[in-house]
Amino acid sequence: IMAFTIDVKAAMIFVVAIILLSIVVFGVMFITKPLYKKVQAGLDTILGTTRENLTGVRVIRAFRQEQAEYEKFFRQNEQLTLLQKLAGKISGLTNPLTFVIINFAILVLIHTGAVRVSLGTLSQGQVVALYNYMSQILVELIKLANLIISVTRAMACFNRIQDVFSIEPSMKEGNEKSTNIRNDVPAVEFKNVSFTYAGGGDHAIENISFKAMAGQTIGIIGGTGSGKSTLVNLIPRFYDATEGEIDIAGENVREYTYESLRKMISVVPQKAQLFAGTIRDNLMFGCPDATEEQIEEALVISQAKEFVDTKEGRLDAVVEQGGKNLSGGQRQRLTLARALVPQSDILIMDDSASALDYATDAKLRKAIQNMKRKPTVFIVSQRTSSIQDADSILVLDDGKIAGKGTHEELIASCDIYREIYETQFKKEEA
């Protein structure tokens, strides 16, 4: 094996040491790999609990659940600590076991070499050389063992990330580029559309059909859980309809690329979400090349100009994470202004004026009606006052269209709409 003769017994010592080291390293790896997966899952649980406690701190205080949440966190943390200790103890056996094996192998080697030197079959220099070679090789094997343990920990994290990346999206992107919405075809058309959430069982919306021409305003109203938000979320293709077809500018939404489709649509979500930065950063979020004129026009239409002008620095005023330094109405008006800046052909307002008073809401609706550009507007609202001037109103009940028409037509023909209207406005005495 070397340039000089080595006793077979000495070579066997080296082979046995390698086998024992392999058993230790791979045995530890086999035992700790599932443990580290459990550690990562426990860490996820604790981080989730911490995030919930931070975001819901006011609710926790309001219901006097501080002690209960503390005990819950303590239990989860204790479980994670026990798991980490167990995995750490098993991993910690690697170094002492490998050093015991190496030192024992060196001890046997020196003893065997001493006997061979006494017999005259080996020289002292050969024994020293063999000892040095064996020490160098086994020390590097120890480093390899520690590396393998570190890789085992990393693999537990990698596998969890890989599970996310391996998920294939159910929706496939189209190839069609965006087109201008023409007056001779519906800007948006639903053709017998039904949708069911994964694992949801019943239809969230069922057999929905209507047309919205360019420049029209469509109001959508109904009880809680009637499918209003689901319906408008199908337009920018946040979901795919399970049945039927949705057309924009005469083309199926499935044919558009995501970028081109959502370039034609601006969405004001139900929950006003702002990002840390400045007011300008938030308004230009969906349109980085927006001009000052576009921004100022959006502020005027959204009724946000009146409070933005009072801020120090105006557009450069700081917005904290989630817009926590703004009121609910201010956040809603800024999210509406953000949707107006790109000047898209379709504007979706998903109950985005719920925090506004009636006077501001009326000014907002009037400003949208008087816009120079006439987008197709979808207004989801619980207030009949917010949609009564719409060109067409859809009344949803349990995912189905219970009525369709103008405000006056629905008052006369739709019991659900009339009931909603009369609960918000006193009945006129005959």
Side-chain angles (χ1 to χ4, degrees):
I1 300 174
M2 296 180 175
F4 47 84
T5 305
I6 296 179
D7 190 85
V8 175
K9 188 173 181 180
M12 288 298 296
I13 294 172
F14 182 78
V15 172
V16 170
I18 295 294
I19 293 173
L20 292 176
L21 281 173
S22 300
I23 292 173
V24 169
V25 171
F26 289 103
V28 170
M29 184 177 69
F30 179 78
I31 295 171
T32 56
K33 189 174 181 178
L35 286 178
Y36 282 122
K37 285 184 178 180
K38 291 181 180 179
V39 166
Q40 290 301 123
L43 185 60
D44 284 350
T45 302
I46 281 196
L47 291 177
T49 301
T50 305
R51 184 172 60 250
E52 284 183 347
N53 288 342
L54 288 174
T55 56
V57 61
R58 293 186 179 180
V59 177
I60 293 171
R61 289 175 180 172
F63 287 91
R64 306 180 307 282
Q65 293 297 309
E66 295 97 326
Q67 187 62 31
E69 290 298 317
Y70 170 78
E71 292 173 358
K72 177 182 176 182
F73 176 83
F74 184 82
R75 287 195 304 272
Q76 293 173 348
N77 194 51
E78 193 68 24
Q79 291 173 356
L80 177 62
T81 302
L82 291 174
L83 272 174
Q84 286 181 318
K85 282 183 177 180
L86 178 60
K89 286 178 180 178
I90 296 174
S91 296
L93 291 174
T94 306
N95 278 346
L97 287 177
T98 51
F99 274 109
V100 166
I101 293 169
I102 288 172
N103 289 329
F104 184 77
I106 290 174
L107 182 64
V108 174
L109 175 65
I110 292 174
H111 177 268
T112 305
V115 173
R116 295 296 184 270
V117 170
S118 298
L119 295 175
T121 56
L122 283 177
S123 67
Q124 292 179 353
Q126 289 174 327
V127 173
V128 172
L130 184 58
Y131 167 77
N132 289 332
Y133 284 132
M134 189 170 182
S135 296
Q136 290 177 12
I137 293 172
L138 293 179
V139 166
E140 296 305 319
L141 286 173
I142 290 176
K143 294 179 181 178
L144 177 62
N146 290 329
L147 177 63
I148 290 174
I149 296 302
S150 298
V151 170
T152 302
R153 295 180 183 179
M155 285 300 295
C157 303
F158 173 78
N159 289 335
R160 293 173 63 79
I161 297 172
Q162 186 63 26
D163 290 341
V164 176
F165 284 118
S166 62
I167 297 174
E168 291 289 336
S170 58
M171 299 194 306
K172 302 299 181 183
E173 189 172 6
N175 300 314
E176 186 75 22
K177 300 296 181 181
S178 59
T179 58
N180 293 326
I181 294 179
R182 307 191 309 272
N183 293 326
D184 58 335
V185 294
V188 178
E189 183 175 6
F190 276 56
K191 300 177 180 178
N192 300 317
V193 173
S194 298
F195 175 76
T196 304
Y197 287 100
D202 296 335
H203 289 301
I205 59 172
E206 185 177 0
N207 198 29
I208 302 294
S209 297
F210 69 89
K211 294 180 181 179
M213 303 302 292
Q216 281 191 331
T217 298
I218 307 297
I220 302 173
I221 196 170
T224 302
S226 59
K228 304 184 297 297
S229 295
T230 300
L231 188 149
V232 293
N233 283 333
L234 291 172
I235 299 173
R237 205 186 171 197
F238 293 153
Y239 316 108
D240 265 343
T242 49
E243 297 175 23
E245 181 180 321
I246 302 169
D247 291 347
I248 292 181
E251 291 284 346
N252 193 323
V253 292
R254 297 172 187 259
E255 301 299 324
Y256 290 104
T257 63
Y258 293 139
E259 182 179 0
S260 61
L261 174 64
R262 290 162 190 169
K263 189 176 180 181
M264 294 188 289
I265 302 169
S266 288
V267 180
V268 188
Q270 196 168 23
K271 181 181 178 182
Q273 180 65 54
L274 297 174
F275 300 94
T278 64
I279 292 176
R280 186 189 304 275
D281 294 336
N282 278 276
L283 295 182
M284 297 178 68
F285 189 77
C287 187
D289 55 348
T291 64
E292 288 292 323
E293 183 181 353
Q294 285 177 263
I295 294 174
E296 293 297 333
E297 182 183 357
L299 288 174
V300 171
I301 295 171
S302 64
Q303 308 304 304
K305 182 177 174 60
E306 61 184 43
F307 78 85
V308 170
D309 287 342
T310 64
K311 297 285 184 182
E312 184 178 352
R314 288 193 78 246
L315 296 176
D316 296 320
V318 175
V319 177
E320 294 182 4
Q321 184 179 9
K324 292 180 180 178
N325 59 333
L326 301 172
S327 68
Q330 289 173 339
R331 288 198 297 269
Q332 283 195 336
R333 282 178 280 178
L334 281 182
T335 53
L336 177 57
R338 180 177 60 195
L340 291 170
V341 168
Q343 298 182 344
S344 304
D345 294 322
I346 299 171
L347 174 64
I348 298 174
M349 300 167 59
D350 187 3
D351 202 12
S352 55
S354 57
L356 303 184
D357 58 79
Y358 283 94
T360 306
D361 187 21
K363 291 178 184 178
L364 171 63
R365 286 184 282 111
K366 184 176 180 181
I368 291 175
Q369 290 175 351
N370 295 331
M371 288 172 59
K372 296 177 183 177
R373 298 179 76 259
K374 294 292 184 182
T376 303
V377 182
F378 289 84
I379 302 176
V380 176
S381 181
Q382 299 285 358
R383 300 175 181 174
T384 54
S385 61
S386 298
I387 60 173
Q388 63 184 10
D389 296 325
D391 298 297
S392 181
I393 299 172
L394 305 179
V395 183
L396 297 184
D397 180 41
D398 197 22
K400 300 176 182 178
I401 293 182
K404 181 164 56 176
T406 62
H407 172 73
E408 291 76 14
E409 292 171 347
L410 291 172
I411 286 291
S413 62
C414 181
D415 294 336
I416 295 175
Y417 184 81
R418 188 187 313 113
E419 182 180 351
I420 295 172
Y421 177 78
E422 289 176 350
T423 57
Q424 297 174 3
F425 298 93
K426 294 181 178 179
K427 296 181 181 180
E428 294 183 4
E429 296 183 1

